[in-house]
mmCIF file of all heavy atoms in Angstrom:
data_model
loop_
_atom_site.group_PDB
_atom_site.id
_atom_site.type_symbol
_atom_site.label_atom_id
_atom_site.label_comp_id
_atom_site.label_asym_id
_atom_site.label_seq_id
_atom_site.Cartn_x
_atom_site.Cartn_y
_atom_site.Cartn_z
ATOM 1 N N ARG F 1 27.138 -10.435 13.806
ATOM 2 C CA ARG F 1 27.749 -9.781 14.968
ATOM 3 C C ARG F 1 26.974 -8.546 15.420
ATOM 4 O O ARG F 1 26.943 -8.244 16.615
ATOM 5 C CB ARG F 1 29.192 -9.378 14.650
ATOM 6 C CG ARG F 1 30.080 -10.520 14.252
ATOM 7 C CD ARG F 1 31.540 -10.087 14.129
ATOM 8 N NE ARG F 1 31.736 -9.098 13.086
ATOM 9 C CZ ARG F 1 32.240 -7.869 13.290
ATOM 10 N NH1 ARG F 1 32.564 -7.487 14.514
ATOM 11 N NH2 ARG F 1 32.399 -7.035 12.276
ATOM 12 N N PHE F 2 26.376 -7.843 14.480
ATOM 13 C CA PHE F 2 25.638 -6.606 14.780
ATOM 14 C C PHE F 2 24.141 -6.840 14.632
ATOM 15 O O PHE F 2 23.703 -7.611 13.769
ATOM 16 C CB PHE F 2 26.051 -5.485 13.836
ATOM 17 C CG PHE F 2 27.442 -4.946 14.033
ATOM 18 C CD1 PHE F 2 28.368 -5.586 14.843
ATOM 19 C CD2 PHE F 2 27.832 -3.775 13.395
ATOM 20 C CE1 PHE F 2 29.637 -5.089 15.014
ATOM 21 C CE2 PHE F 2 29.105 -3.259 13.550
ATOM 22 C CZ PHE F 2 30.020 -3.927 14.362
ATOM 23 N N THR F 3 23.368 -6.135 15.448
ATOM 24 C CA THR F 3 21.908 -6.203 15.364
ATOM 25 C C THR F 3 21.336 -4.796 15.446
ATOM 26 O O THR F 3 21.617 -4.066 16.397
ATOM 27 C CB THR F 3 21.319 -7.061 16.495
ATOM 28 O OG1 THR F 3 21.883 -8.367 16.452
ATOM 29 C CG2 THR F 3 19.808 -7.154 16.350
ATOM 30 N N ILE F 4 20.541 -4.442 14.449
ATOM 31 C CA ILE F 4 19.891 -3.132 14.434
ATOM 32 C C ILE F 4 18.466 -3.266 14.946
ATOM 33 O O ILE F 4 17.801 -4.279 14.706
ATOM 34 C CB ILE F 4 19.911 -2.530 13.005
ATOM 35 C CG1 ILE F 4 19.412 -1.083 13.022
ATOM 36 C CG2 ILE F 4 19.112 -3.392 12.030
ATOM 37 C CD1 ILE F 4 19.588 -0.373 11.682
ATOM 38 N N SER F 5 18.011 -2.256 15.666
ATOM 39 C CA SER F 5 16.633 -2.251 16.153
ATOM 40 C C SER F 5 16.176 -0.801 16.274
ATOM 41 O O SER F 5 16.966 0.124 16.149
ATOM 42 C CB SER F 5 16.524 -2.972 17.506
ATOM 43 O OG SER F 5 17.332 -2.321 18.476
ATOM 44 N N ARG F 6 14.881 -0.622 16.492
ATOM 45 C CA ARG F 6 14.352 0.729 16.649
ATOM 46 C C ARG F 6 13.183 0.717 17.613
ATOM 47 O O ARG F 6 12.537 -0.306 17.805
ATOM 48 C CB ARG F 6 13.953 1.323 15.296
ATOM 49 C CG ARG F 6 12.736 0.705 14.662
ATOM 50 C CD ARG F 6 12.552 1.157 13.217
ATOM 51 N NE ARG F 6 12.355 2.587 13.093
ATOM 52 C CZ ARG F 6 12.244 3.221 11.923
ATOM 53 N NH1 ARG F 6 12.329 2.544 10.799
ATOM 54 N NH2 ARG F 6 12.061 4.518 11.887
ATOM 55 N N ASP F 7 12.933 1.879 18.186
ATOM 56 C CA ASP F 7 11.797 2.067 19.089
ATOM 57 C C ASP F 7 11.058 3.300 18.584
ATOM 58 O O ASP F 7 11.501 4.430 18.800
ATOM 59 C CB ASP F 7 12.299 2.263 20.524
ATOM 60 C CG ASP F 7 11.166 2.355 21.534
ATOM 61 O OD1 ASP F 7 10.053 2.774 21.140
ATOM 62 O OD2 ASP F 7 11.390 2.033 22.699
ATOM 63 N N HIS F 8 9.934 3.075 17.910
ATOM 64 C CA HIS F 8 9.198 4.189 17.325
ATOM 65 C C HIS F 8 8.715 5.160 18.400
ATOM 66 O O HIS F 8 8.715 6.376 18.183
ATOM 67 C CB HIS F 8 8.005 3.660 16.519
ATOM 68 C CG HIS F 8 8.403 2.979 15.253
ATOM 69 N ND1 HIS F 8 8.592 3.659 14.067
ATOM 70 C CD2 HIS F 8 8.656 1.686 14.985
ATOM 71 C CE1 HIS F 8 8.923 2.816 13.126
ATOM 72 N NE2 HIS F 8 8.978 1.599 13.643
ATOM 73 N N ALA F 9 8.301 4.645 19.535
ATOM 74 C CA ALA F 9 7.768 5.506 20.592
ATOM 75 C C ALA F 9 8.826 6.475 21.112
ATOM 76 O O ALA F 9 8.503 7.567 21.575
ATOM 77 C CB ALA F 9 7.226 4.653 21.733
ATOM 78 N N LYS F 10 10.089 6.078 21.008
ATOM 79 C CA LYS F 10 11.174 6.923 21.512
ATOM 80 C C LYS F 10 11.933 7.614 20.386
ATOM 81 O O LYS F 10 12.967 8.244 20.637
ATOM 82 C CB LYS F 10 12.136 6.082 22.345
ATOM 83 C CG LYS F 10 11.516 5.506 23.609
ATOM 84 C CD LYS F 10 12.540 4.703 24.405
ATOM 85 C CE LYS F 10 11.915 4.154 25.683
ATOM 86 N NZ LYS F 10 12.899 3.363 26.481
ATOM 87 N N ASN F 11 11.452 7.465 19.158
ATOM 88 C CA ASN F 11 12.185 8.039 18.008
ATOM 89 C C ASN F 11 13.652 7.624 18.041
ATOM 90 O O ASN F 11 14.552 8.433 17.758
ATOM 91 C CB ASN F 11 12.087 9.569 18.005
ATOM 92 C CG ASN F 11 10.825 10.058 17.328
ATOM 93 O OD1 ASN F 11 9.938 9.280 17.016
ATOM 94 N ND2 ASN F 11 10.753 11.351 17.095
ATOM 95 N N SER F 12 13.890 6.383 18.366
ATOM 96 C CA SER F 12 15.258 5.926 18.573
ATOM 97 C C SER F 12 15.583 4.696 17.743
ATOM 98 O O SER F 12 14.707 3.900 17.388
ATOM 99 C CB SER F 12 15.475 5.598 20.054
ATOM 100 O OG SER F 12 15.358 6.751 20.852
ATOM 101 N N ALA F 13 16.856 4.569 17.453
ATOM 102 C CA ALA F 13 17.383 3.386 16.790
ATOM 103 C C ALA F 13 18.621 2.939 17.554
ATOM 104 O O ALA F 13 19.288 3.751 18.209
ATOM 105 C CB ALA F 13 17.724 3.676 15.335
ATOM 106 N N TYR F 14 18.922 1.661 17.448
ATOM 107 C CA TYR F 14 20.021 1.096 18.219
ATOM 108 C C TYR F 14 20.861 0.177 17.334
ATOM 109 O O TYR F 14 20.366 -0.378 16.349
ATOM 110 C CB TYR F 14 19.484 0.302 19.414
ATOM 111 C CG TYR F 14 18.516 1.094 20.250
ATOM 112 C CD1 TYR F 14 17.139 0.991 20.035
ATOM 113 C CD2 TYR F 14 18.970 1.946 21.252
ATOM 114 C CE1 TYR F 14 16.249 1.731 20.797
ATOM 115 C CE2 TYR F 14 18.079 2.689 22.010
ATOM 116 C CZ TYR F 14 16.724 2.580 21.772
ATOM 117 O OH TYR F 14 15.842 3.315 22.518
ATOM 118 N N LEU F 15 22.102 0.020 17.730
ATOM 119 C CA LEU F 15 22.980 -0.934 17.052
ATOM 120 C C LEU F 15 23.744 -1.699 18.124
ATOM 121 O O LEU F 15 24.613 -1.135 18.787
ATOM 122 C CB LEU F 15 23.944 -0.239 16.101
ATOM 123 C CG LEU F 15 24.779 -1.175 15.231
ATOM 124 C CD1 LEU F 15 23.882 -1.904 14.220
ATOM 125 C CD2 LEU F 15 25.876 -0.403 14.488
ATOM 126 N N GLN F 16 23.362 -2.952 18.308
ATOM 127 C CA GLN F 16 24.076 -3.825 19.237
ATOM 128 C C GLN F 16 25.249 -4.437 18.480
ATOM 129 O O GLN F 16 25.046 -5.101 17.450
ATOM 130 C CB GLN F 16 23.146 -4.917 19.768
ATOM 131 C CG GLN F 16 23.831 -5.902 20.685
ATOM 132 C CD GLN F 16 24.290 -5.285 21.989
ATOM 133 O OE1 GLN F 16 23.560 -4.514 22.607
ATOM 134 N NE2 GLN F 16 25.494 -5.623 22.423
ATOM 135 N N MET F 17 26.444 -4.227 18.988
ATOM 136 C CA MET F 17 27.654 -4.708 18.315
ATOM 137 C C MET F 17 28.367 -5.694 19.226
ATOM 138 O O MET F 17 28.813 -5.321 20.324
ATOM 139 C CB MET F 17 28.565 -3.530 17.970
ATOM 140 C CG MET F 17 27.871 -2.429 17.166
ATOM 141 S SD MET F 17 29.002 -1.143 16.616
ATOM 142 C CE MET F 17 29.557 -0.501 18.187
ATOM 143 N N ASN F 18 28.464 -6.907 18.781
ATOM 144 C CA ASN F 18 29.148 -7.959 19.534
ATOM 145 C C ASN F 18 30.368 -8.446 18.764
ATOM 146 O O ASN F 18 30.495 -8.208 17.567
ATOM 147 C CB ASN F 18 28.196 -9.130 19.786
ATOM 148 C CG ASN F 18 26.984 -8.738 20.591
ATOM 149 O OD1 ASN F 18 27.055 -7.868 21.474
ATOM 150 N ND2 ASN F 18 25.851 -9.371 20.317
ATOM 151 N N SER F 19 31.230 -9.150 19.462
ATOM 152 C CA SER F 19 32.438 -9.718 18.842
ATOM 153 C C SER F 19 33.175 -8.671 18.023
ATOM 154 O O SER F 19 33.547 -8.909 16.869
ATOM 155 C CB SER F 19 32.059 -10.917 17.965
ATOM 156 O OG SER F 19 31.389 -11.901 18.716
ATOM 157 N N LEU F 20 33.377 -7.541 18.618
ATOM 158 C CA LEU F 20 33.989 -6.429 17.890
ATOM 159 C C LEU F 20 35.415 -6.739 17.481
ATOM 160 O O LEU F 20 36.163 -7.426 18.202
ATOM 161 C CB LEU F 20 33.941 -5.161 18.731
ATOM 162 C CG LEU F 20 32.554 -4.485 18.753
ATOM 163 C CD1 LEU F 20 32.425 -3.535 19.923
ATOM 164 C CD2 LEU F 20 32.307 -3.772 17.440
ATOM 165 N N LYS F 21 35.786 -6.208 16.319
ATOM 166 C CA LYS F 21 37.111 -6.399 15.750
ATOM 167 C C LYS F 21 37.790 -5.046 15.555
ATOM 168 O O LYS F 21 37.114 -4.032 15.421
ATOM 169 C CB LYS F 21 36.995 -7.095 14.396
ATOM 170 C CG LYS F 21 36.253 -8.405 14.421
ATOM 171 C CD LYS F 21 36.092 -8.972 13.016
ATOM 172 C CE LYS F 21 35.351 -10.293 13.029
ATOM 173 N NZ LYS F 21 35.192 -10.861 11.660
ATOM 174 N N PRO F 22 39.100 -5.034 15.503
ATOM 175 C CA PRO F 22 39.792 -3.752 15.271
ATOM 176 C C PRO F 22 39.309 -3.042 14.007
ATOM 177 O O PRO F 22 39.246 -1.805 13.985
ATOM 178 C CB PRO F 22 41.260 -4.180 15.159
ATOM 179 C CG PRO F 22 41.350 -5.398 16.020
ATOM 180 C CD PRO F 22 40.048 -6.114 15.804
ATOM 181 N N GLU F 23 38.930 -3.791 12.994
ATOM 182 C CA GLU F 23 38.471 -3.169 11.749
ATOM 183 C C GLU F 23 37.080 -2.539 11.875
ATOM 184 O O GLU F 23 36.611 -1.899 10.937
ATOM 185 C CB GLU F 23 38.480 -4.178 10.595
ATOM 186 C CG GLU F 23 37.787 -5.487 10.893
ATOM 187 C CD GLU F 23 38.756 -6.579 11.337
ATOM 188 O OE1 GLU F 23 39.653 -6.274 12.164
ATOM 189 O OE2 GLU F 23 38.583 -7.725 10.872
ATOM 190 N N ASP F 24 36.425 -2.717 13.017
ATOM 191 C CA ASP F 24 35.164 -2.026 13.271
ATOM 192 C C ASP F 24 35.390 -0.602 13.782
ATOM 193 O O ASP F 24 34.441 0.169 13.929
ATOM 194 C CB ASP F 24 34.330 -2.792 14.294
ATOM 195 C CG ASP F 24 33.880 -4.142 13.792
ATOM 196 O OD1 ASP F 24 33.475 -4.241 12.617
ATOM 197 O OD2 ASP F 24 33.920 -5.109 14.580
ATOM 198 N N THR F 25 36.634 -0.252 14.050
ATOM 199 C CA THR F 25 36.948 1.084 14.525
ATOM 200 C C THR F 25 36.537 2.125 13.491
ATOM 201 O O THR F 25 36.945 2.050 12.331
ATOM 202 C CB THR F 25 38.450 1.204 14.823
ATOM 203 O OG1 THR F 25 38.784 0.319 15.903
ATOM 204 C CG2 THR F 25 38.824 2.624 15.200
ATOM 205 N N ALA F 26 35.725 3.075 13.917
ATOM 206 C CA ALA F 26 35.198 4.094 13.007
ATOM 207 C C ALA F 26 34.320 5.051 13.807
ATOM 208 O O ALA F 26 34.021 4.802 14.978
ATOM 209 C CB ALA F 26 34.374 3.455 11.895
ATOM 210 N N VAL F 27 33.902 6.117 13.161
ATOM 211 C CA VAL F 27 32.839 6.967 13.698
ATOM 212 C C VAL F 27 31.526 6.434 13.140
ATOM 213 O O VAL F 27 31.387 6.259 11.921
ATOM 214 C CB VAL F 27 33.030 8.438 13.326
ATOM 215 C CG1 VAL F 27 31.878 9.274 13.884
ATOM 216 C CG2 VAL F 27 34.372 8.954 13.845
ATOM 217 N N TYR F 28 30.585 6.178 14.016
ATOM 218 C CA TYR F 28 29.308 5.599 13.623
ATOM 219 C C TYR F 28 28.223 6.675 13.647
ATOM 220 O O TYR F 28 28.134 7.474 14.587
ATOM 221 C CB TYR F 28 28.924 4.459 14.566
ATOM 222 C CG TYR F 28 29.713 3.201 14.302
ATOM 223 C CD1 TYR F 28 31.063 3.120 14.630
ATOM 224 C CD2 TYR F 28 29.123 2.092 13.711
ATOM 225 C CE1 TYR F 28 31.801 1.969 14.369
ATOM 226 C CE2 TYR F 28 29.841 0.940 13.446
ATOM 227 C CZ TYR F 28 31.179 0.886 13.772
ATOM 228 O OH TYR F 28 31.904 -0.246 13.501
ATOM 229 N N TYR F 29 27.408 6.659 12.599
ATOM 230 C CA TYR F 29 26.335 7.620 12.428
ATOM 231 C C TYR F 29 25.015 6.901 12.183
ATOM 232 O O TYR F 29 24.986 5.824 11.584
ATOM 233 C CB TYR F 29 26.589 8.508 11.214
ATOM 234 C CG TYR F 29 27.887 9.272 11.216
ATOM 235 C CD1 TYR F 29 29.056 8.689 10.724
ATOM 236 C CD2 TYR F 29 27.934 10.592 11.663
ATOM 237 C CE1 TYR F 29 30.243 9.392 10.706
ATOM 238 C CE2 TYR F 29 29.126 11.302 11.639
ATOM 239 C CZ TYR F 29 30.267 10.707 11.163
ATOM 240 O OH TYR F 29 31.446 11.411 11.142
ATOM 241 N N CYS F 30 23.942 7.526 12.595
ATOM 242 C CA CYS F 30 22.631 7.053 12.171
ATOM 243 C C CYS F 30 22.028 8.105 11.250
ATOM 244 O O CYS F 30 22.377 9.285 11.290
ATOM 245 C CB CYS F 30 21.712 6.766 13.348
ATOM 246 S SG CYS F 30 21.144 8.225 14.235
#
């Protein structure tokens, strides 16, 4: 359901979250 990726040129990371469920409710940190 989730896919992590990063872009070194932008010093960035991403988390694509699909098919979200109520139990995914939280504060997300990198």
Side-chain angles (χ1 to χ4, degrees):
R1 301 188 297 121
F2 290 11
T3 303
I4 188 172
S5 61
R6 70 191 298 176
D7 185 333
H8 289 273
K10 296 181 179 180
N11 275 10
S12 295
Y14 308 95
L15 187 68
Q16 177 67 43
M17 306 186 297
N18 299 326
S19 302
L20 283 161
K21 304 176 180 180
E23 50 264 44
D24 295 318
T25 296
V27 179
Y28 284 72
Y29 303 87
C30 70

